[in-house]
Amino acid sequence: MHLQSVLLLSYLLAARLLPLAAQPNVLTYHNDVHRTGQNLAETILTTSNVNSAAFGKLFQSTLDGVVDAQPLYVAGVSIPSQGIHNVLIVATENDSLYALDAATGAQLWKVTLLASGETPSDDRGCGQVTPQIGITSTPVVWLKTRTTEGVVFAVAMSKDASGNYHQRLHKVSLTTGNPLATAVEITAKYPGTGEDSSGGYALFDPKQYKERSGLLLLGGVVYLGWASHCDHGPYTGWIMGYNGTTLAQTSVIDVTPNGADGAIWGAGAGLAADSSGYIYFLDANGTFDTTLNAQGFPTKGDYGNAFIKLSTAGSQLTVSDYFTMYNTTDESNADEDLGSGGALILPDMTDANGQIRHLAIGAGKDSNIYLVDRDNMGKFSPTDDSAIYQELDGALPGGIWSMPAYYHGQVYFGAVGGSIRAFQFHKAMLSSTPVSTTGTQFPYPGATPSISANGTANGILWAVENNTPAVLHAYAAGNLAQELYNTSQAAGGRDQFGTGNKFMVPTIANGKVYVGTPNGVAAFGLLAK
């Protein structure tokens, strides 16, 4: 077949999921596997028209439970008997998945991920996700090559009539919500003698965990990361991979298999990945073996409270590199760990010597920013952190329980009880102090910002203030002191959307901003004239 014919056929097949004017999709947590939080193809919203006179709440859809997952957006989806729609995928803690019309909020389909006779899980005696636990983590959408029906993957927790708890990975149709495979029961074991082990293996017990990390789709594999219920043991640090086509489990690792704790929290952030297929995350307080082998790795394979790089080669998950601070054990003992924040993969940068740097960044409860070289992360020294690429001590007073965002040479952190701070990169090094800050102070858990921009123009930072009522803010990304809009500005409470929720991450697409709420999803955009 001639090249022109192949291209024509590809275009015609793609039309099934694409409108005439293609729009950027938000198919995964924080927009991409790097977890930058940026939409660089937003041509409608600008720093001139995002203001309370022209911009406000368009609709608010009431759903059947708390929305902790970030809403996802897919343009131009053909819904049987309903035509083509731009679609929002929204998950609730009632174990429901919804497809909503992104322009109106009208329901296109709804599916429950509960098996017959089951209910969502109770909160397991932990107030972090309450009153029930269903779908907490952000699902992921797979469009494959756009020649087949789109797929939504989601993890749901439930409880059966006998009091047994279940964690299942589901695969449903993007266009109908119908299951495309039998949901797989999450089970796992890994060699170890830690606190959740028996017979020489760490054993995954579904009742002890919740899937809080946004799902990562990488190389056709769906990766899951598991957090505990508060610090209720026994638990350890599990990550698993499942084949996106068959749902067969492909890989498992426990990063504290011979110890305790080490959950993957990340404030709901998805596991991050670079272009070489490595996975990065910040592990929570837990056992770290300070006795190292000749290569600088813990002899017992326990990596609690560390910035971890995983290899996915050979359909296996193995620790390829890591960094942890010199006082890692003291931090874990004080519950002052890295695991409260999410990792972000930065674009390649050139340093002062002309060398290309491959960097990642993250922060946790200790108020420090950690910038690692992905080619040599620094590992562990009992005396100091001098092997790390760059560390900014005390840069984030209050600590981080959220995910940063990146845009146009700046990284944005929203610490607890403080302003959102923008730090500037110059020759692959981060400014030691913020170049701009918001006037607003964000209460617990701080803020996870998102970015909209048209390339390098009209950069806007969006963030939700977890308060009563909750407040959506918009700032000029180049100068956070310039607030463009917030939902408290319009008279009569026109734009208010209810009480706050700690997992509110804005999604921006096609001129609209979507925010999950304690009972649904709210949409904001340009008002009709």
Side-chain angles (χ1 to χ4, degrees):
M1 185 180 290
H2 293 298
L3 176 61
Q4 292 91 337
S5 299
V6 172
L7 293 174
L8 177 60
L9 177 60
S10 298
Y11 174 82
L12 292 174
L13 290 169
R16 183 180 182 197
L17 286 174
L18 284 175
L20 292 177
Q23 302 166 20
N25 295 316
V26 181
L27 307 178
T28 190
Y29 178 89
H30 235 204
N31 293 71
D32 50 56
V33 298
H34 301 333
R35 310 307 185 188
T36 63
Q38 57 183 0
N39 171 6
L40 299 182
E42 177 50 60
T43 59
I44 298 173
L45 300 178
T46 71
T47 54
S48 298
N49 62 24
V50 174
N51 56 66
S52 60
F55 181 91
K57 188 170 74 172
L58 301 178
F59 64 81
Q60 187 162 354
S61 297
T62 300
L63 308 179
D64 67 4
V66 178
V67 176
D68 283 326
Q70 181 181 349
L72 301 176
Y73 177 94
V74 191
V77 180
S78 179
I79 306 294
S81 303
Q82 299 185 70
I84 295 176
H85 297 259
N86 297 331
V87 171
L88 274 187
I89 298 297
V90 186
T92 77
E93 295 288 0
N94 199 45
D95 276 322
S96 296
L97 271 180
Y98 289 83
L100 306 179
D101 183 285
T104 66
Q107 181 178 311
L108 300 170
W109 55 254
K110 174 189 175 183
V111 62
T112 180
L113 301 189
L114 291 167
S116 178
E118 292 184 353
T119 64
S121 170
D122 56 275
D123 65 14
R124 300 292 293 136
C126 174
Q128 293 169 339
V129 178
T130 191
Q132 59 187 11
I133 305 173
I135 307 172
T136 304
S137 59
T138 301
V140 66
V141 176
W142 193 11
L143 296 185
K144 297 187 178 181
T145 60
R146 299 185 185 273
T147 61
T148 58
E149 185 177 65
V151 173
V152 183
F153 297 98
V155 171
M157 184 176 186
S158 60
K159 185 178 182 180
D160 65 29
S162 299
N164 300 309
Y165 293 85
H166 303 269
Q167 303 278 1
R168 298 188 184 96
L169 174 62
H170 296 258
K171 177 181 179 180
V172 305
S173 164
L174 173 65
T175 60
T176 66
N178 294 333
L180 297 175
T182 301
V184 63
E185 196 90 23
I186 306 295
T187 62
K189 67 178 185 178
Y190 190 82
T193 58
E195 72 170 16
D196 60 353
S197 67
S198 177
Y201 286 92
L203 302 174
F204 180 81
D205 183 348
K207 73 175 181 294
Q208 291 298 106
Y209 298 90
K210 55 179 170 279
E211 217 291 342
R212 199 158 93 166
S213 301
L215 274 57
L216 169 66
L217 178 62
L218 184 66
V221 177
V222 181
Y223 291 97
L224 319 178
W226 296 92
S228 60
H229 304 290
C230 294
D231 285 324
H232 301 336
Y235 67 91
T236 51
W238 294 89
I239 292 177
M240 307 169 191
Y242 286 83
N243 184 290
T245 300
T246 66
L247 294 191
Q249 190 178 85
T250 61
S251 53
V252 175
I253 191 171
D254 186 338
V255 295
T256 50
N258 296 296
D261 305 346
I264 294 89
W265 297 98
L271 303 168
D274 66 18
S275 57
S276 298
Y278 290 96
I279 295 173
Y280 301 80
F281 65 99
L282 306 177
D283 197 46
N285 54 291
T287 304
F288 181 84
D289 305 322
T290 56
T291 301
L292 309 179
N293 64 21
Q295 291 74 43
F297 292 89
T299 55
K300 294 183 179 179
D302 293 320
Y303 293 88
N305 193 29
F307 201 144
I308 299 175
K309 174 182 180 179
L310 297 180
S311 169
T312 60
S315 296
Q316 295 185 3
L317 288 169
T318 56
V319 177
S320 174
D321 202 358
Y322 74 96
F323 165 79
T324 192
M325 59 291 301
Y326 75 96
N327 60 338
T328 183
T329 300
D330 291 339
E331 286 202 359
S332 281
N333 290 339
D335 193 25
E336 193 180 55
D337 57 281
L338 273 175
S340 60
L344 190 154
I345 306 300
L346 293 159
D348 291 354
M349 299 181 185
T350 304
D351 68 14
N353 297 317
Q355 181 178 350
I356 301 296
R357 294 290 187 173
H358 309 114
L359 305 176
I361 195 167
K365 298 177 185 176
D366 65 6
S367 80
N368 302 336
I369 295 176
Y370 296 97
L371 186 62
V372 297
D373 183 336
R374 304 197 313 267
D375 301 323
N376 181 14
M377 294 178 68
K379 297 186 173 66
F380 168 72
S381 165
T383 56
D384 58 45
D385 293 346
S386 59
I388 194 174
Y389 182 80
Q390 187 182 10
E391 179 176 319
L392 300 183
D393 291 340
L396 301 168
I400 286 291
W401 277 258
S402 57
M403 172 78 203
Y406 174 85
Y407 171 66
H408 196 35
Q410 295 188 12
V411 64
Y412 305 87
F413 285 93
V416 172
S419 59
I420 298 175
R421 296 167 170 84
F423 295 84
Q424 179 72 49
F425 281 98
H426 178 67
K427 296 184 177 179
M429 296 293 287
L430 200 60
S431 58
S432 59
T433 57
V435 294
S436 68
T437 62
T438 63
T440 305
Q441 310 295 303
F442 288 80
Y444 178 83
T448 292
S450 299
I451 303 290
S452 66
N454 186 6
T456 59
N458 288 306
I460 301 174
L461 181 141
W462 303 86
V464 179
E465 178 186 343
N466 180 24
N467 224 323
T468 304
V471 183
L472 172 67
H473 296 266
Y475 304 92
N479 178 14
L480 297 182
Q482 182 184 353
E483 182 169 21
L484 306 172
Y485 164 84
N486 73 62
T487 50
S488 296
Q489 291 174 339
R494 182 195 71 188
D495 296 341
Q496 291 183 2
F497 56 102
T499 58
N501 179 35
K502 65 182 178 180
F503 291 106
M504 289 176 158
V505 180
T507 297
I508 306 99
N510 193 32
K512 297 179 178 61
V513 181
Y514 303 96
V515 178
T517 76
N519 63 358
V521 62
F524 304 84
L526 297 180
L527 302 171
K529 295 181 179 180

